[in-house]
Structure formats: structure tokens, C-alpha cells
Amino acid sequence: MIDFKRRRLFSRTQTDDKSPRLPWLKQPEQFTDQCTRCGKCIAHCDTQIIVKSDGGFPRIDFSIDECSFCYQCAEVCPEPLFAEQSQLPWGAKANINNACLAFSNIDCRSCSDSCEVMAIQFQLMVGKVAQPTINTQQCTGCGACVSTCPTSAILVHNP
């Protein structure tokens, strides 16, 4: 198993090890042991959000677009890495950090406008602009809110 934390010891780039790799993985913790890095999932991704990461392993990049949960990455994979499509794709959820414009009293609702399942709502507040809240029960972790956020205040990661 590859320990990516050690590779980044002297790097300035920080990545979230809790970020989802690919949807429907049976055993995400053993992904780097089983993936052959063939690139078929990257080539067949409906929204082109699967990109190569460290060591050539595929990962999700929500700054490009959202996951449409098309299941094409799982269908073309020659390895037995993926669960059935009838199961939940992952446990990933969106999280809004302090860089959100609403926390600086600037009205922006781009994340809720892009959320198809309406998991992001804005609550009216006295003396402030409406503040975002995420209903984690409704959030699918699709990442639609990530690429539309002007301050990159939203991350999608596994709890």
C-alpha cells in the first residue's frame, strides 16, 4: 500500500486524504493495492472529473464538474474494485468552510443554486445575509456545489 502522506512531506500542496476516490468502491482503503492504473475509468467518465493523481491512481476532482453517478467508471474497470450500482456510491458529504462569502456578510448562493437535491439551504439571520446549512441526510456528495463556489469554500469528503 502506498502512503501518500509521506510523498507530500516536503510539498506545498495539501490534499485531503478523506476525499472520495471513486464511487462504489468496495474497499477504498485497499484501492491502491488493487487498481492497475489502466486509465479506463478516466477515459469513460461522463463528466471528466476522474483525473490521475499521485502514482497515476485515479481520483475525483470536483473543481472540474460534478459526479453524475453514471456508473461508467465501474463498468469499464477490469478489476473487481466496485460494488453493485444499486448500493450507495459513497458516504461523501459536502462541507462549507470559513472562506464562504456568506460568513463575511456577502450574499452568494451559487452552491444552493447548483444543488439538485436541495441539500444546501440558506437560513435568514438578523443583521446578516442568509447563512448556508447543509442537510447531510439529503447530500449525495455529487460535488455540484464545489465547482460553482467562487471562493472554493466547499469540500466533499468522507466523514
Side-chain angles (χ1 to χ4, degrees):
M1 180 177 256
I2 296 173
D3 185 3
F4 291 113
K5 290 178 189 172
R6 289 181 180 230
R7 295 185 91 194
R8 292 186 199 96
L9 182 62
F10 299 107
S11 173
R12 291 181 189 210
T13 59
Q14 295 292 321
T15 58
D16 185 3
D17 289 336
K18 294 181 180 180
S19 63
R21 277 221 179 259
L22 296 176
W24 290 287
L25 285 178
K26 288 180 191 174
Q27 299 172 320
E29 64 280 351
Q30 295 180 359
F31 176 72
T32 56
D33 292 337
Q34 299 173 344
C35 176
T36 60
R37 298 173 275 187
C38 68
K40 290 182 180 181
C41 58
I42 295 170
H44 288 86
C45 180
D46 188 36
T47 54
Q48 300 300 301
I49 63 167
I50 302 176
V51 297
K52 281 188 180 183
S53 68
D54 288 343
F57 291 101
R59 70 170 176 86
I60 302 292
D61 185 355
F62 287 125
S63 67
I64 298 170
D65 204 350
E66 66 185 281
C67 182
S68 63
F69 303 115
C70 66
Y71 201 70
Q72 289 181 35
C73 55
E75 287 178 341
V76 299
C77 183
E79 304 303 321
L81 298 171
F82 295 92
E84 297 294 320
Q85 188 176 10
S86 59
Q87 295 182 13
L88 285 177
W90 51 38
K93 304 291 179 188
N95 185 32
I96 301 173
N97 66 34
N98 291 338
C100 177
L101 291 174
F103 298 152
S104 298
N105 213 25
I106 299 170
D107 193 29
C108 173
R109 298 185 187 203
S110 61
C111 57
S112 70
D113 292 343
S114 65
C115 184
E116 191 173 313
V117 295
M118 297 181 4
I120 303 175
Q121 298 288 317
F122 279 78
Q123 304 297 320
L124 296 176
M125 304 294 270
V126 176
K128 301 184 201 179
V129 298
Q131 301 293 298
T133 58
I134 298 178
N135 181 335
T136 55
Q137 298 297 319
Q138 287 181 307
C139 181
T140 62
C142 71
C145 54
V146 175
S147 64
T148 62
C149 180
T151 60
S152 303
I154 303 175
L155 294 175
V156 175
H157 58 83
N158 291 316

